[in-house]
Amino acid sequence: MMMTCPTCGKKIPYDKSNPWRPFCCERCKMIDLGHWAAGDYLIQGAPGSADPKFVEEELERMQREAEEKARR
């Protein structure tokens, strides 16, 4: 399968022969990493929402709310 390198746009095969996939080379991979490190890319969502402790607390809160609602 052919794909486009997300950094430079070069067409490359997407298979095990390319150790830098989805990038065409280590240089493009490092350029992308630099963008993440500089804060150029953002992932939408609440900060800390992937934190296991946060998830556990949210599940406990939801369970308490469901129990309170069932008692009414």
Side-chain angles (χ1 to χ4, degrees), residues 5-72:
C5 174
T7 302
C8 71
K10 180 180 174 183
K11 291 284 187 188
I12 54 169
Y14 187 80
D15 59 27
K16 292 180 182 181
S17 69
N18 179 0
W20 303 289
R21 64 185 178 273
F23 305 97
C24 67
C25 63
E26 185 176 17
R27 178 181 175 272
C28 284
K29 181 179 175 180
M30 296 308 290
I31 289 170
D32 185 74
L33 179 61
H35 284 291
W36 281 103
D40 296 336
Y41 300 144
L42 298 175
I43 297 174
Q44 297 298 317
S49 61
D51 178 14
K53 181 125 177 94
F54 175 81
V55 172
E56 182 180 341
E57 290 170 357
E58 281 297 298
L59 289 172
E60 289 172 358
R61 182 188 61 77
M62 290 168 56
Q63 185 177 15
R64 282 192 308 273
E65 287 177 0
E67 289 170 356
E68 288 174 10
K69 188 175 182 179
R71 281 186 280 213
R72 294 180 199 159

